[in-house]
Amino acid sequence: MVVDNSPSFDSIKNLESWAEGNVKVERTNFSSLVFPENNKPLKYLSISDTEYWQKSQNDDYDVIFVKAGKNEGFAAANNVVLKTKLDRSGQEELLFLLNNDTVIPPDLITKLASKYVEHDYGVVGCVLLEYSKPDIVQSVGGLYNKYFGITTQALEGIKINELGLEKAHIDYPVGAAMFLSIKVLKQIGLLEEKYFLYYEELDWVQRGKVTYSTTYFEDCFVYHKGGVSIGSNHKSFIADKYSLINRINFAKKYNRTYLTTTYLGVFFSIFKRFLFLKFKRGASLFYEVLKINPNKF
């Protein structure tokens, strides 16, 4: 299932054209993983999100393209499919959430499934490798600093041959590639849509941490471009905005003891925008933070 929450129908039309065999992949850094492509045409269904929720059976297609009515963020897009899984799937079914700016090895899902069922895990992740530098680790998962609400990427920048030296602790898997079971989904619920972007994965894991642990599998690789879904590999304003305000929102929900220091960390981050002469962005971010109600989320 591919969910498209872009503002136009261009992406859906391109996806349909690809499924019909009219669009060929011309460039890839991973020819051995991408080619040969599946024979076209594929048996596909293109449907709106409301029609998708009403449809009782969706198993007769190679791929389903679901057009969301509007862009309500990362969690809402994933929840389009997750909502139907809650009602129609058995507890043993497994789910793999994957961003659109990724390439995966053909055996990845088989590996994930076999490793996952051996343990009583919650939401788990993969090793994300840099798409343009596949020997460099982008992340194996995120770490959360409770004092200032900052998230960082575990093992970011190390070489792939250094992965096996020790297992890193992570607080949550990166949302670009997350794996879980229907059983876990039914216990922890859907992704929190109020965040729009960032902190959804951490919130998800937080809800299930009493019962489930999280981890990553060292030999499960995903080649990830990063930032493509939000328009750039450089931090756009929308990414900047939600990374800051959701530091506060998450702390309000789970970490109120350190809400004051989290606010201080956010204002320091904004101050650095002014130091780098990004006055317009700094002022806009300051305004967005001031709009937050410290007592509501």
Side-chain angles (χ1 to χ4, degrees), residues 137-151:
V137 172
Q138 188 180 87
S139 176
V140 299
L143 299 170
Y144 178 69
N145 180 318
K146 67 179 181 180
Y147 302 106
F148 295 101
I150 298 169
T151 59

Side-chain angles (χ1 to χ4, degrees), residues 23-262:
V23 176
K24 302 295 182 184
V25 176
E26 297 180 357
R27 291 176 296 142
T28 175
N29 287 1
F30 302 96
S31 297
S32 62
L33 303 182
V34 173
F35 298 118
E37 289 191 83
N38 287 1
N39 292 330
K40 308 294 191 307
L42 300 175
K43 186 177 181 183
Y44 74 91
L45 174 67
S46 190
I47 193 169
S48 72
D49 52 3
T50 52
E51 292 171 323
Y52 177 70
W53 291 325
Q54 295 165 3
K55 195 170 179 62
S56 60
Q57 185 65 33
N58 293 311
D59 295 335
D60 297 330
Y61 301 93
D62 297 317
V63 61
I64 300 170
F65 303 125
V66 186
K67 184 74 179 82
K70 56 182 178 180
N71 182 5
E72 295 184 333
F74 172 83
N78 283 288
N79 283 345
V80 167
V81 172
L82 295 180
K83 286 175 185 175
T84 65
K85 293 299 179 182
L86 278 175
D87 299 329
R88 305 174 192 169
S89 302
Q91 293 205 90
E92 300 309 311
E93 185 174 336
L94 303 173
L95 300 167
F96 187 31
L97 278 62
L98 187 68
N99 272 17
N100 59 315
D101 56 346
T102 56
V103 173
I104 64 172
D107 63 346
L108 174 65
I109 296 175
T110 304
K111 276 186 177 181
L112 283 168
S114 62
K115 289 176 177 294
Y116 187 90
V117 297
E118 292 176 2
H119 305 278
D120 195 22
Y121 285 126
V123 187
V124 304
C126 304
V127 176
L128 300 187
L129 301 174
E130 293 286 355
Y131 180 89
S132 58
K133 297 178 181 178
D135 61 330
I136 301 297
V137 172
Q138 188 180 87
S139 176
V140 299
L143 299 170
Y144 178 69
N145 180 318
K146 67 179 181 180
Y147 302 106
F148 295 101
I150 298 169
T151 59
T152 54
Q153 300 305 311
L155 303 188
E156 180 181 10
I158 73 166
K159 291 194 174 181
I160 192 172
N161 58 12
E162 299 172 350
L163 265 176
L165 296 179
E166 62 177 302
K167 181 87 172 186
H169 162 77
I170 65 169
D171 292 318
Y172 63 94
V174 178
M178 297 188 290
F179 200 82
L180 71 157
S181 67
I182 294 293
K183 175 186 174 182
V184 171
L185 178 65
K186 288 184 175 181
Q187 292 197 22
I188 66 176
L190 299 171
L191 285 160
E192 177 55 73
E193 297 182 13
K194 290 180 182 178
Y195 291 105
F196 191 84
L197 188 66
Y198 299 132
Y199 285 82
E200 308 94 332
E201 317 100 302
L202 184 55
D203 183 284
W204 224 13
V205 170
Q206 186 72 23
R207 277 184 268 154
K209 68 181 298 184
V210 174
T211 308
Y212 300 107
S213 61
T214 188
T215 190
Y216 65 95
F217 299 131
E218 297 101 320
D219 59 345
C220 292
F221 301 123
V222 172
Y223 303 94
H224 183 223
K225 292 182 179 179
V228 173
S229 297
I230 54 175
S232 173
N233 284 317
H234 301 289
K235 211 166 197 179
S236 64
F237 175 74
I238 191 170
D240 222 358
K241 168 186 170 181
Y242 284 109
S243 67
L244 291 178
I245 66 173
N246 284 333
R247 278 169 65 177
I248 295 170
N249 286 328
F250 182 84
K252 286 194 296 180
K253 189 173 181 182
Y254 295 108
N255 192 31
R256 294 195 72 89
T257 302
Y258 297 102
L259 184 56
T260 300
T261 53
T262 298

Side-chain angles (χ1 to χ4, degrees), residues 3-34:
V3 178
D4 170 32
N5 63 353
S6 60
S8 72
F9 282 85
D10 293 344
S11 294
I12 283 289
K13 290 177 181 176
N14 287 334
L15 289 166
E16 291 171 351
S17 185
W18 167 81
E20 291 162 3
N22 300 322
V23 176
K24 302 295 182 184
V25 176
E26 297 180 357
R27 291 176 296 142
T28 175
N29 287 1
F30 302 96
S31 297
S32 62
L33 303 182
V34 173

